[in-house]
Amino acid sequence: MNITSKKLEDNWFNIHFLETYTRSCLKTFGYFDEVLIVKKRIETLKNIVENDCLIAKDQVEEFLVLNSTFNDVKDHIKNNLVIENKSISVCIMVKNEERCIKRCIDSIISVAEEIIIIDTGSTDNTISIIEKYDNSKIKVFQKEWQDDFSEIRNYAIEMAAYEWVAFIDADEYLDEESALNLLPILNIFNNHKLIDSIVLCPIIHEANDTIHFRTGKFFRKNSGIKFFGTCHEETRINDIPDSTLLIPIKIAYLHDGYLAKVQNNKKKKNRNTQLLEEMVELEPDNPRWAYMFVRDGFSTLDTEYIEKTCLHFLLVDKDSRISVKNLQYHKFILSLLTILGRLYLRECEFEKAKIVIRILEELSPNSHDVKFLAFMERISNLKIEINSLLTEVIEYRGNHEVDEESLINTQGYHIDYVLSVLLFETGNYVQAKKYFNFLQESNFIEEIFQDPSYSTIIRMLEQVED
Protein backbone atom coordinates (compact mmCIF):
# COMPACT_ATOMS: atom_id res chain seq x y z
CA MET A 1 0.00 0.00 0.00
CA ASN A 2 3.07 2.24 -0.19
CA ILE A 3 2.25 3.91 -3.50
CA THR A 4 3.96 7.27 -3.87
CA SER A 5 4.14 7.62 -7.67
CA LYS A 6 2.43 10.66 -9.12
CA LYS A 7 0.71 8.32 -11.61
CA LEU A 8 -1.80 6.38 -9.53
CA GLU A 9 -2.77 2.76 -10.01
CA ASP A 10 -6.32 1.69 -10.88
CA ASN A 11 -7.40 1.04 -7.29
CA TRP A 12 -7.31 4.71 -6.39
CA PHE A 13 -10.06 5.31 -8.96
CA ASN A 14 -12.14 2.39 -7.68
CA ILE A 15 -14.94 3.56 -5.39
CA HIS A 16 -15.36 0.17 -3.74
CA PHE A 17 -11.61 -0.09 -3.08
CA LEU A 18 -11.53 3.43 -1.59
CA GLU A 19 -14.48 2.67 0.66
CA THR A 20 -12.71 -0.49 1.82
CA TYR A 21 -9.48 1.46 2.29
CA THR A 22 -11.33 4.05 4.40
CA ARG A 23 -12.87 1.37 6.64
CA SER A 24 -9.47 -0.28 7.04
CA CYS A 25 -7.83 3.02 8.02
CA LEU A 26 -10.52 3.73 10.59
CA LYS A 27 -10.33 0.19 11.96
CA THR A 28 -6.51 0.30 12.20
CA PHE A 29 -5.83 3.89 13.25
CA GLY A 30 -9.17 5.39 14.29
CA TYR A 31 -10.42 8.67 12.86
CA PHE A 32 -7.89 11.18 11.40
CA ASP A 33 -8.42 14.29 9.25
CA GLU A 34 -6.98 12.82 6.04
CA VAL A 35 -9.91 10.38 5.88
CA LEU A 36 -11.99 13.34 4.64
CA ILE A 37 -9.69 13.61 1.61
CA VAL A 38 -10.47 10.01 0.67
CA LYS A 39 -14.21 10.57 1.19
CA LYS A 40 -14.13 13.66 -1.03
CA ARG A 41 -12.38 11.60 -3.68
CA ILE A 42 -15.11 8.97 -3.47
CA GLU A 43 -17.84 11.58 -3.90
CA THR A 44 -16.08 13.04 -6.94
CA LEU A 45 -15.62 9.61 -8.53
CA LYS A 46 -19.37 9.04 -8.29
CA ASN A 47 -19.67 11.60 -11.11
CA ILE A 48 -17.96 9.27 -13.55
CA VAL A 49 -20.70 7.47 -15.46
CA GLU A 50 -18.65 4.43 -16.47
CA ASN A 51 -16.10 4.02 -13.72
CA ASP A 52 -15.41 0.40 -14.72
CA CYS A 53 -13.25 1.50 -17.64
CA LEU A 54 -10.74 2.99 -15.20
CA ILE A 55 -10.33 0.19 -12.71
CA ALA A 56 -9.11 -3.35 -12.45
CA LYS A 57 -11.68 -6.11 -12.11
CA ASP A 58 -10.07 -7.74 -9.05
CA GLN A 59 -12.37 -8.54 -6.16
CA VAL A 60 -11.81 -6.22 -3.19
CA GLU A 61 -12.13 -7.59 0.33
CA GLU A 62 -14.23 -6.00 3.06
CA PHE A 63 -11.07 -4.91 4.89
CA LEU A 64 -7.44 -4.52 3.83
CA VAL A 65 -4.32 -5.30 5.84
CA LEU A 66 -2.41 -2.03 5.94
CA ASN A 67 1.32 -2.77 5.97
CA SER A 68 2.16 0.89 6.49
CA THR A 69 2.70 3.11 9.50
CA PHE A 70 0.15 5.72 10.46
CA ASN A 71 2.39 8.53 9.18
CA ASP A 72 3.01 6.71 5.88
CA VAL A 73 -0.73 6.37 5.31
CA LYS A 74 -1.33 10.04 6.04
CA ASP A 75 1.54 11.09 3.78
CA HIS A 76 0.30 8.89 0.96
CA ILE A 77 -3.19 10.39 1.15
CA LYS A 78 -1.90 13.96 1.24
CA ASN A 79 0.65 13.42 -1.53
CA ASN A 80 -1.48 11.36 -3.91
CA LEU A 81 -5.20 11.57 -3.21
CA VAL A 82 -5.71 15.30 -2.79
CA ILE A 83 -7.38 16.62 -5.96
CA GLU A 84 -5.01 19.27 -7.26
CA ASN A 85 -6.67 22.08 -9.17
CA LYS A 86 -5.46 22.66 -12.72
CA SER A 87 -7.02 25.48 -14.72
CA ILE A 88 -9.26 25.23 -17.78
CA SER A 89 -9.20 26.98 -21.13
CA VAL A 90 -12.75 26.86 -22.50
CA CYS A 91 -12.87 26.97 -26.30
CA ILE A 92 -15.86 28.12 -28.37
CA MET A 93 -16.17 28.24 -32.15
CA VAL A 94 -18.61 30.86 -33.43
CA LYS A 95 -20.18 32.15 -36.60
CA ASN A 96 -23.35 34.25 -36.43
CA GLU A 97 -24.32 33.07 -32.94
CA GLU A 98 -26.06 36.22 -31.66
CA ARG A 99 -29.03 34.06 -30.65
CA CYS A 100 -27.12 32.09 -28.04
CA ILE A 101 -23.52 33.22 -27.46
CA LYS A 102 -24.30 35.22 -24.31
CA ARG A 103 -26.09 32.25 -22.75
CA CYS A 104 -23.09 30.06 -23.50
CA ILE A 105 -20.46 32.44 -22.10
CA ASP A 106 -22.50 33.21 -18.98
CA SER A 107 -22.68 29.50 -18.19
CA ILE A 108 -18.91 28.89 -18.23
CA ILE A 109 -17.26 32.18 -17.32
CA SER A 110 -17.05 31.35 -13.61
CA VAL A 111 -15.14 28.08 -14.16
CA ALA A 112 -12.85 29.12 -17.02
CA GLU A 113 -9.42 30.62 -16.48
CA GLU A 114 -9.70 31.83 -20.04
CA ILE A 115 -12.27 31.63 -22.85
CA ILE A 116 -10.84 31.12 -26.30
CA ILE A 117 -13.32 32.18 -28.99
CA ILE A 118 -12.56 31.38 -32.61
CA ASP A 119 -14.75 33.41 -34.96
CA THR A 120 -15.00 32.08 -38.51
CA GLY A 121 -16.63 35.08 -40.11
CA SER A 122 -19.62 36.36 -38.14
CA THR A 123 -21.65 39.05 -39.89
CA ASP A 124 -24.33 39.51 -37.20
CA ASN A 125 -23.97 40.92 -33.66
CA THR A 126 -21.97 37.99 -32.24
CA ILE A 127 -18.68 39.88 -31.82
CA SER A 128 -20.30 43.03 -30.38
CA ILE A 129 -22.11 40.88 -27.79
CA ILE A 130 -18.78 39.29 -26.81
CA GLU A 131 -17.01 42.65 -26.62
CA LYS A 132 -19.57 43.98 -24.15
CA TYR A 133 -18.16 41.63 -21.51
CA ASP A 134 -14.94 43.66 -21.42
CA ASN A 135 -13.36 40.72 -19.55
CA SER A 136 -9.67 39.83 -19.87
CA LYS A 137 -10.57 36.14 -19.65
CA ILE A 138 -12.19 36.32 -23.09
CA LYS A 139 -9.80 36.17 -26.05
CA VAL A 140 -11.19 36.36 -29.59
CA PHE A 141 -9.29 35.05 -32.62
CA GLN A 142 -10.29 35.20 -36.26
CA LYS A 143 -9.87 32.13 -38.45
CA GLU A 144 -11.09 31.65 -42.01
CA TRP A 145 -13.63 28.85 -42.39
CA GLN A 146 -12.29 26.10 -44.67
CA ASP A 147 -15.16 23.57 -44.34
CA ASP A 148 -13.33 21.76 -41.53
CA PHE A 149 -14.49 21.75 -37.91
CA SER A 150 -11.36 19.94 -36.71
CA GLU A 151 -9.09 22.61 -38.13
CA ILE A 152 -10.87 25.27 -36.04
CA ARG A 153 -10.90 23.16 -32.88
CA ASN A 154 -7.21 22.28 -33.21
CA TYR A 155 -6.38 25.95 -33.72
CA ALA A 156 -8.24 26.67 -30.47
CA ILE A 157 -6.07 24.08 -28.68
CA GLU A 158 -2.96 25.90 -29.95
CA MET A 159 -4.27 29.21 -28.61
CA ALA A 160 -5.17 27.77 -25.19
CA ALA A 161 -2.75 28.43 -22.33
CA TYR A 162 -3.94 26.20 -19.49
CA GLU A 163 -3.64 22.54 -18.49
CA TRP A 164 -7.16 21.44 -19.42
CA VAL A 165 -8.97 22.35 -22.63
CA ALA A 166 -12.74 22.23 -22.64
CA PHE A 167 -14.92 22.61 -25.72
CA ILE A 168 -18.46 23.90 -25.74
CA ASP A 169 -20.47 24.87 -28.81
CA ALA A 170 -22.11 28.28 -28.97
CA ASP A 171 -25.56 26.66 -29.00
CA GLU A 172 -24.75 24.70 -25.83
CA TYR A 173 -24.56 25.89 -22.25
CA LEU A 174 -23.28 24.39 -19.02
CA ASP A 175 -25.81 23.41 -16.38
CA GLU A 176 -25.52 25.52 -13.20
CA GLU A 177 -24.96 22.58 -10.85
CA SER A 178 -22.44 21.08 -13.25
CA ALA A 179 -20.46 24.31 -13.17
CA LEU A 180 -19.88 23.73 -9.44
CA ASN A 181 -18.63 20.17 -10.01
CA LEU A 182 -16.63 20.54 -13.21
CA LEU A 183 -13.17 21.39 -11.82
CA PRO A 184 -13.00 18.58 -9.22
CA ILE A 185 -14.23 16.02 -11.76
CA LEU A 186 -11.65 16.99 -14.37
CA ASN A 187 -8.80 17.29 -11.92
CA ILE A 188 -9.32 13.90 -10.29
CA PHE A 189 -7.79 12.52 -13.52
CA ASN A 190 -4.60 14.59 -13.24
CA ASN A 191 -2.53 11.70 -11.92
CA HIS A 192 -4.26 8.83 -13.70
CA LYS A 193 -1.79 6.64 -15.57
CA LEU A 194 -3.84 6.99 -18.79
CA ILE A 195 -4.29 10.76 -18.56
CA ASP A 196 -2.71 11.41 -21.97
CA SER A 197 -5.35 9.32 -23.74
CA ILE A 198 -8.40 10.20 -21.62
CA VAL A 199 -11.14 12.34 -23.17
CA LEU A 200 -14.08 13.18 -20.93
CA CYS A 201 -17.60 13.42 -22.31
CA PRO A 202 -20.41 15.48 -20.77
CA ILE A 203 -24.01 14.35 -20.88
CA ILE A 204 -25.54 16.47 -23.66
CA HIS A 205 -29.25 17.10 -23.26
CA GLU A 206 -31.03 17.93 -26.51
CA ALA A 207 -34.11 20.14 -26.60
CA ASN A 208 -36.21 17.06 -27.47
CA ASP A 209 -35.02 15.29 -24.27
CA THR A 210 -32.59 13.00 -26.12
CA ILE A 211 -29.22 12.64 -24.37
CA HIS A 212 -25.74 11.90 -25.74
CA PHE A 213 -22.68 10.97 -23.71
CA ARG A 214 -20.04 9.95 -26.26
CA THR A 215 -18.95 13.37 -27.52
CA GLY A 216 -15.44 14.21 -26.26
CA LYS A 217 -15.16 17.71 -24.84
CA PHE A 218 -12.42 17.72 -22.15
CA PHE A 219 -8.77 16.62 -22.24
CA ARG A 220 -5.28 17.76 -21.26
CA LYS A 221 -3.78 20.35 -23.60
CA ASN A 222 -0.34 18.73 -23.74
CA SER A 223 -1.63 15.18 -24.21
CA GLY A 224 -1.17 15.29 -27.98
CA ILE A 225 -4.89 14.71 -28.50
CA LYS A 226 -6.30 16.45 -31.58
CA PHE A 227 -9.59 16.47 -33.48
CA PHE A 228 -10.00 14.68 -36.80
CA GLY A 229 -12.80 14.95 -39.34
CA THR A 230 -14.38 17.84 -41.20
CA CYS A 231 -17.76 17.20 -39.50
CA HIS A 232 -18.90 15.16 -36.46
CA GLU A 233 -15.20 15.14 -35.66
CA GLU A 234 -13.59 12.73 -33.20
CA THR A 235 -10.57 12.90 -30.92
CA ARG A 236 -7.44 11.03 -31.98
CA ILE A 237 -3.80 10.60 -31.03
CA ASN A 238 -1.43 10.72 -34.02
CA ASP A 239 -4.44 10.50 -36.38
CA ILE A 240 -5.15 6.93 -35.23
CA PRO A 241 -8.89 6.05 -35.03
CA ASP A 242 -10.20 4.92 -31.63
CA SER A 243 -6.93 5.89 -29.93
CA THR A 244 -8.51 7.91 -27.11
CA LEU A 245 -10.39 6.62 -24.08
CA LEU A 246 -13.85 8.25 -23.97
CA ILE A 247 -15.24 8.48 -20.43
CA PRO A 248 -18.73 9.91 -19.77
CA ILE A 249 -19.00 12.16 -16.71
CA LYS A 250 -21.98 13.68 -14.92
CA ILE A 251 -21.52 17.16 -16.34
CA ALA A 252 -24.60 18.41 -18.17
CA TYR A 253 -24.52 20.43 -21.38
CA LEU A 254 -27.85 21.67 -22.72
CA HIS A 255 -28.09 21.96 -26.50
CA ASP A 256 -30.78 23.39 -28.77
CA GLY A 257 -28.87 23.64 -32.05
CA TYR A 258 -30.76 20.78 -33.67
CA LEU A 259 -34.18 22.33 -33.28
CA ALA A 260 -35.76 22.41 -36.74
CA LYS A 261 -35.94 26.21 -36.92
CA VAL A 262 -32.27 26.57 -35.91
CA GLN A 263 -31.09 23.89 -38.35
CA ASN A 264 -33.08 25.42 -41.18
CA ASN A 265 -31.73 28.91 -40.48
CA LYS A 266 -28.13 27.69 -40.50
CA LYS A 267 -28.62 25.03 -43.20
CA LYS A 268 -26.84 22.52 -40.98
CA LYS A 269 -28.11 19.32 -42.60
CA ASN A 270 -26.96 20.23 -46.10
CA ARG A 271 -23.59 21.42 -44.81
CA ASN A 272 -23.05 18.31 -42.67
CA THR A 273 -24.03 15.91 -45.45
CA GLN A 274 -21.59 17.51 -47.87
CA LEU A 275 -18.73 17.42 -45.36
CA LEU A 276 -19.46 13.83 -44.36
CA GLU A 277 -19.43 12.74 -48.00
CA GLU A 278 -15.86 14.05 -48.16
CA MET A 279 -14.95 12.05 -45.05
CA VAL A 280 -16.37 8.87 -46.62
CA GLU A 281 -14.09 9.48 -49.62
CA LEU A 282 -11.11 10.23 -47.36
CA GLU A 283 -11.53 7.13 -45.18
CA PRO A 284 -13.69 4.75 -47.23
CA ASP A 285 -13.06 1.80 -44.88
CA ASN A 286 -14.05 3.61 -41.70
CA PRO A 287 -17.65 2.74 -40.68
CA ARG A 288 -17.88 5.90 -38.57
CA TRP A 289 -18.12 8.24 -41.54
CA ALA A 290 -20.39 5.90 -43.50
CA TYR A 291 -22.82 5.72 -40.59
CA MET A 292 -22.76 9.49 -39.96
CA PHE A 293 -23.31 10.14 -43.67
CA VAL A 294 -26.33 7.85 -44.12
CA ARG A 295 -27.76 8.98 -40.77
CA ASP A 296 -27.61 12.69 -41.57
CA GLY A 297 -28.61 12.08 -45.19
CA PHE A 298 -31.37 9.58 -44.44
CA SER A 299 -34.12 11.79 -45.87
CA THR A 300 -32.18 12.96 -48.94
CA LEU A 301 -29.80 10.21 -50.04
CA ASP A 302 -30.78 7.61 -52.63
CA THR A 303 -32.42 4.55 -51.03
CA GLU A 304 -30.22 2.11 -52.92
CA TYR A 305 -27.08 3.97 -51.80
CA ILE A 306 -28.08 3.84 -48.12
CA GLU A 307 -28.80 0.10 -48.34
CA LYS A 308 -25.57 -0.64 -50.20
CA THR A 309 -23.49 1.41 -47.75
CA CYS A 310 -25.01 -0.23 -44.68
CA LEU A 311 -24.58 -3.73 -46.07
CA HIS A 312 -20.97 -3.01 -47.10
CA PHE A 313 -20.04 -2.34 -43.48
CA LEU A 314 -22.27 -5.05 -42.04
CA LEU A 315 -21.63 -8.16 -44.12
CA VAL A 316 -18.56 -10.37 -43.95
CA ASP A 317 -19.54 -12.26 -47.09
CA LYS A 318 -21.02 -9.66 -49.44
CA ASP A 319 -22.57 -12.37 -51.63
CA SER A 320 -24.53 -13.98 -48.77
CA ARG A 321 -27.68 -12.86 -46.99
CA ILE A 322 -27.56 -10.80 -43.84
CA SER A 323 -27.54 -12.88 -40.67
CA VAL A 324 -25.98 -12.82 -37.21
CA LYS A 325 -23.23 -15.18 -38.40
CA ASN A 326 -22.46 -13.01 -41.44
CA LEU A 327 -21.91 -9.73 -39.56
CA GLN A 328 -18.79 -7.64 -39.14
CA TYR A 329 -18.44 -6.65 -35.51
CA HIS A 330 -17.47 -3.04 -34.78
CA LYS A 331 -18.92 -0.26 -32.64
CA PHE A 332 -21.26 0.96 -35.40
CA ILE A 333 -22.93 -2.39 -36.07
CA LEU A 334 -26.13 -1.62 -34.12
CA SER A 335 -26.30 1.89 -35.56
CA LEU A 336 -26.05 0.66 -39.15
CA LEU A 337 -28.55 -2.14 -38.54
CA THR A 338 -30.98 0.40 -37.09
CA ILE A 339 -30.60 2.65 -40.15
CA LEU A 340 -31.17 -0.36 -42.40
CA GLY A 341 -34.27 -1.43 -40.46
CA ARG A 342 -35.73 2.07 -40.68
CA LEU A 343 -34.99 2.19 -44.41
CA TYR A 344 -36.76 -1.10 -45.12
CA LEU A 345 -39.81 -0.05 -43.11
CA ARG A 346 -39.94 3.30 -44.89
CA GLU A 347 -39.76 1.59 -48.28
CA CYS A 348 -42.37 -1.03 -47.23
CA GLU A 349 -39.87 -3.87 -47.71
CA PHE A 350 -41.31 -5.73 -44.76
CA GLU A 351 -39.63 -9.10 -45.26
CA LYS A 352 -36.20 -7.46 -45.31
CA ALA A 353 -37.18 -5.33 -42.31
CA LYS A 354 -38.25 -8.42 -40.41
CA ILE A 355 -34.86 -10.10 -40.90
CA VAL A 356 -32.95 -7.02 -39.71
CA ILE A 357 -35.22 -6.56 -36.70
CA ARG A 358 -34.80 -10.20 -35.65
CA ILE A 359 -31.01 -9.76 -35.81
CA LEU A 360 -31.26 -6.61 -33.69
CA GLU A 361 -33.49 -8.41 -31.18
CA GLU A 362 -30.81 -11.06 -30.79
CA LEU A 363 -27.96 -8.55 -30.42
CA SER A 364 -29.71 -5.94 -28.28
CA PRO A 365 -33.07 -7.30 -27.06
CA ASN A 366 -34.00 -4.53 -24.62
CA SER A 367 -33.04 -1.52 -26.71
CA HIS A 368 -35.68 1.19 -27.20
CA ASP A 369 -34.61 1.49 -30.85
CA VAL A 370 -35.03 -2.23 -31.47
CA LYS A 371 -38.44 -2.23 -29.78
CA PHE A 372 -39.45 0.80 -31.84
CA LEU A 373 -38.60 -0.99 -35.08
CA ALA A 374 -40.34 -4.17 -33.92
CA PHE A 375 -43.47 -2.23 -32.95
CA MET A 376 -43.47 -0.33 -36.25
CA GLU A 377 -43.14 -3.62 -38.13
CA ARG A 378 -46.17 -4.97 -36.27
CA ILE A 379 -48.13 -1.79 -36.97
CA SER A 380 -47.26 -2.13 -40.66
CA ASN A 381 -48.43 -5.74 -40.65
CA LEU A 382 -51.64 -4.72 -38.91
CA LYS A 383 -52.23 -2.02 -41.52
CA ILE A 384 -51.75 -4.58 -44.29
CA GLU A 385 -54.16 -6.95 -42.55
CA ILE A 386 -56.74 -4.19 -42.00
CA ASN A 387 -56.53 -3.12 -45.66
CA SER A 388 -56.90 -6.72 -46.72
CA LEU A 389 -59.91 -7.09 -44.41
CA LEU A 390 -61.43 -3.88 -45.79
CA THR A 391 -61.17 -5.25 -49.35
CA GLU A 392 -62.77 -8.50 -48.22
CA VAL A 393 -65.67 -6.71 -46.45
CA ILE A 394 -66.31 -4.40 -49.44
CA GLU A 395 -66.44 -7.41 -51.74
CA TYR A 396 -68.76 -9.30 -49.38
CA ARG A 397 -71.08 -6.31 -48.96
CA GLY A 398 -71.29 -5.81 -52.72
CA ASN A 399 -72.51 -9.37 -53.14
CA HIS A 400 -74.85 -9.48 -50.13
CA GLU A 401 -77.24 -6.52 -49.88
CA VAL A 402 -80.12 -8.17 -48.02
CA ASP A 403 -80.26 -11.12 -45.63
CA GLU A 404 -83.82 -11.84 -44.55
CA GLU A 405 -82.58 -14.42 -42.03
CA SER A 406 -80.27 -12.00 -40.19
CA LEU A 407 -81.01 -11.75 -36.45
CA ILE A 408 -79.16 -8.41 -36.19
CA ASN A 409 -80.23 -6.38 -39.23
CA THR A 410 -81.76 -7.71 -42.43
CA GLN A 411 -80.50 -4.69 -44.42
CA GLY A 412 -76.88 -5.54 -43.57
CA TYR A 413 -76.28 -2.34 -41.55
CA HIS A 414 -74.05 -4.28 -39.19
CA ILE A 415 -71.77 -5.06 -42.17
CA ASP A 416 -71.86 -1.34 -43.00
CA TYR A 417 -70.81 -0.69 -39.44
CA VAL A 418 -67.76 -2.92 -39.91
CA LEU A 419 -67.01 -1.03 -43.10
CA SER A 420 -67.22 2.33 -41.35
CA VAL A 421 -64.77 1.21 -38.62
CA LEU A 422 -62.30 -0.18 -41.17
CA LEU A 423 -62.53 2.98 -43.28
CA PHE A 424 -61.75 4.99 -40.16
CA GLU A 425 -58.81 2.73 -39.20
CA THR A 426 -57.33 3.02 -42.72
CA GLY A 427 -57.58 6.82 -42.77
CA ASN A 428 -60.51 7.07 -45.20
CA TYR A 429 -62.24 9.56 -42.92
CA VAL A 430 -64.63 11.19 -45.41
CA GLN A 431 -66.05 7.82 -46.46
CA ALA A 432 -66.13 6.63 -42.84
CA LYS A 433 -68.09 9.76 -41.85
CA LYS A 434 -70.68 9.10 -44.57
CA TYR A 435 -71.22 5.56 -43.33
CA PHE A 436 -71.42 6.59 -39.65
CA ASN A 437 -73.86 9.42 -40.48
CA PHE A 438 -76.05 7.01 -42.43
CA LEU A 439 -76.02 4.48 -39.58
CA GLN A 440 -76.86 7.16 -37.00
CA GLU A 441 -79.72 8.47 -39.13
CA SER A 442 -80.99 4.92 -39.34
CA ASN A 443 -80.78 4.63 -35.52
CA PHE A 444 -78.65 1.54 -36.00
CA ILE A 445 -75.74 2.42 -33.69
CA GLU A 446 -77.99 3.54 -30.81
CA GLU A 447 -80.18 0.52 -31.25
CA ILE A 448 -77.46 -2.13 -31.33
CA PHE A 449 -74.57 -0.67 -29.34
CA GLN A 450 -75.83 0.62 -25.99
CA ASP A 451 -72.19 0.88 -24.88
CA PRO A 452 -70.86 4.18 -26.35
CA SER A 453 -67.40 2.73 -27.04
CA TYR A 454 -67.25 4.24 -30.52
CA SER A 455 -68.53 7.68 -29.56
CA THR A 456 -64.95 8.94 -29.67
CA ILE A 457 -64.67 7.93 -33.33
CA ILE A 458 -67.93 9.68 -34.09
CA ARG A 459 -66.80 12.88 -32.32
CA MET A 460 -63.54 12.84 -34.29
CA LEU A 461 -65.38 12.36 -37.56
CA GLU A 462 -67.56 15.36 -36.81
CA GLN A 463 -64.42 17.49 -37.40
CA VAL A 464 -63.89 15.99 -40.86
CA GLU A 465 -65.05 18.15 -43.77
CA ASP A 466 -67.28 16.40 -46.31
Side-chain angles (χ1 to χ4, degrees):
M1 212 58 63
N2 257 334
I3 301 174
T4 57
S5 169
K6 286 300 180 183
K7 297 293 183 184
L8 291 181
E9 296 301 319
D10 290 345
N11 279 336
W12 304 106
F13 295 86
N14 182 333
I15 291 173
H16 183 49
F17 174 85
L18 288 169
E19 289 173 340
T20 303
Y21 180 70
T22 302
R23 288 195 299 270
S24 302
C25 287
L26 293 172
K27 181 180 179 181
T28 306
F29 305 116
Y31 177 80
F32 54 101
D33 289 344
E34 284 75 10
V35 168
L36 294 177
I37 295 172
V38 185
K39 289 186 174 182
K40 181 179 179 181
R41 186 177 186 84
I42 291 169
E43 290 306 308
T44 302
L45 284 168
K46 288 178 180 178
N47 289 291
I48 301 171
V49 177
E50 295 178 2
N51 189 261
D52 287 349
C53 63
L54 295 173
I55 61 177
K57 302 296 187 291
D58 299 336
Q59 184 67 32
V60 180
E61 302 296 331
E62 190 67 16
F63 289 97
L64 302 170
V65 177
L66 300 176
N67 297 317
S68 304
T69 67
F70 180 46
N71 287 333
D72 284 345
V73 168
K74 290 203 301 180
D75 287 345
H76 174 261
I77 293 173
K78 287 187 289 188
N79 292 333
N80 294 283
L81 303 188
V82 172
I83 301 173
E84 181 184 1
N85 279 332
K86 303 285 186 181
S87 299
I88 311 175
S89 297
V90 176
C91 304
I92 312 171
M93 178 172 57
V94 301
K95 182 178 181 181
N96 295 337
E97 304 291 357
E98 63 181 7
R99 177 187 71 87
C100 52
I101 187 60
K102 185 177 186 304
R103 180 185 67 185
C104 178
I105 292 174
D106 287 347
S107 75
I108 50 91
I109 198 165
S110 64
V111 298
E113 195 67 31
E114 67 174 0
I115 300 174
I116 302 294
I117 297 178
I118 312 297
D119 179 65
T120 60
S122 293
T123 55
D124 64 357
N125 293 317
T126 300
I127 298 301
S128 62
I129 291 170
I130 295 168
E131 288 173 345
K132 287 178 183 177
Y133 280 91
D134 193 22
N135 190 315
S136 60
K137 282 186 178 183
I138 301 175
K139 302 167 186 176
V140 179
F141 301 88
Q142 299 294 326
K143 180 77 170 170
E144 184 181 356
W145 173 246
Q146 299 283 354
D147 292 332
D148 190 338
F149 282 92
S150 288
E151 180 188 19
I152 305 301
R153 295 194 190 281
N154 292 333
Y155 178 67
I157 296 171
E158 291 177 22
M159 297 301 103
Y162 292 94
E163 290 88 346
W164 280 93
V165 288
F167 283 85
I168 187 167
D169 293 343
D171 53 12
E172 296 172 333
Y173 58 101
L174 180 63
D175 170 70
E176 286 185 21
E177 185 176 347
S178 294
L180 300 174
N181 297 327
L182 179 59
L183 281 169
I185 294 172
L186 297 188
N187 283 303
I188 202 168
F189 291 94
N190 286 334
N191 53 3
H192 193 280
K193 64 183 182 180
L194 300 177
I195 183 59
D196 287 339
S197 61
I198 287 175
V199 177
L200 302 177
C201 310
I203 299 173
I204 301 176
H205 297 258
E206 300 288 351
N208 66 355
D209 294 332
T210 295
I211 63 171
H212 308 284
F213 48 88
R214 292 291 178 190
T215 304
K217 297 281 191 177
F218 310 98
F219 50 88
R220 294 295 291 270
K221 172 181 166 61
N222 294 324
S223 62
I225 294 171
K226 302 293 184 195
F227 286 95
F228 182 88
T230 55
C231 181
H232 296 322
E233 55 280 14
E234 65 174 349
T235 51
R236 292 184 177 182
I237 301 171
N238 297 326
D239 281 346
I240 301 172
D242 301 320
S243 51
T244 58
L245 176 60
L246 298 180
I247 301 174
I249 55 176
K250 293 178 184 176
I251 292 296
Y253 277 14
L254 295 94
H255 178 233
D256 64 2
Y258 284 127
L259 289 173
K261 60 182 179 181
V262 178
Q263 284 201 88
N264 293 338
N265 287 342
K266 304 198 78 173
K267 300 178 180 178
K268 283 187 175 183
K269 279 197 172 181
N270 290 339
R271 176 202 66 194
N272 290 358
T273 304
Q274 291 171 9
L275 295 178
L276 287 166
E277 185 173 15
E278 295 172 8
M279 291 308 303
V280 170
E281 294 173 0
L282 181 65
E283 292 191 338
D285 297 324
N286 190 335
R288 173 188 178 84
W289 308 120
Y291 164 65
M292 298 287 185
F293 184 40
V294 296
R295 182 197 68 181
D296 284 18
F298 188 75
S299 61
T300 56
L301 291 174
D302 179 70
T303 297
E304 185 178 348
Y305 176 85
I306 296 174
E307 179 185 31
K308 183 178 177 181
T309 300
C310 290
L311 291 175
H312 175 76
F313 286 100
L314 286 171
L315 299 182
V316 176
D317 182 354
K318 306 296 190 280
D319 295 324
S320 298
R321 293 184 64 186
I322 189 168
S323 67
V324 171
K325 292 181 179 179
N326 191 28
L327 288 178
Q328 301 180 45
Y329 284 87
H330 48 69
K331 66 181 180 181
F332 292 98
I333 180 174
L334 294 178
S335 303
L336 287 166
L337 283 167
T338 301
I339 290 286
L340 195 58
R342 287 175 56 203
L343 180 74
Y344 288 149
L345 287 175
R346 186 185 75 183
E347 300 302 314
C348 299
E349 296 192 58
F350 299 119
E351 286 304 312
K352 288 183 176 180
K354 184 177 181 179
I355 293 170
V356 172
I357 292 166
R358 297 303 169 265
I359 292 171
L360 280 165
E361 286 177 329
E362 186 170 340
L363 297 178
S364 184
N366 295 315
S367 161
H368 276 18
D369 291 347
V370 177
K371 288 297 183 185
F372 164 75
L373 293 175
F375 293 149
M376 290 305 297
E377 181 208 3
R378 289 171 64 183
I379 289 171
S380 298
N381 288 333
L382 287 171
K383 284 183 176 180
I384 292 171
E385 188 175 343
I386 289 172
N387 276 290
S388 176
L389 180 58
L390 175 60
T391 302
E392 182 182 340
V393 174
I394 290 172
E395 184 178 337
Y396 176 84
R397 185 62 169 131
N399 295 327
H400 300 81
E401 294 186 4
V402 178
D403 180 5
E404 295 179 356
E405 296 182 1
S406 172
L407 300 178
I408 298 176
N409 187 277
T410 58
Q411 300 303 310
Y413 290 168
H414 44 327
I415 306 300
D416 292 331
Y417 177 78
V418 174
L419 261 176
S420 64
V421 172
L422 289 172
L423 286 166
F424 178 83
E425 295 294 342
T426 54
N428 295 288
Y429 300 123
V430 173
Q431 287 296 105
K433 183 177 181 181
K434 289 178 180 178
Y435 271 93
F436 269 111
N437 286 344
F438 169 74
L439 294 171
Q440 281 185 305
E441 290 168 3
S442 303
N443 299 313
F444 175 75
I445 293 179
E446 274 183 27
E447 186 180 309
I448 300 301
F449 295 94
Q450 303 299 325
D451 161 31
S453 57
Y454 285 94
S455 60
T456 302
I457 294 178
I458 294 169
R459 283 200 301 273
M460 291 174 66
L461 289 174
E462 286 173 356
Q463 310 301 315
V464 175
E465 294 183 5
D466 296 329

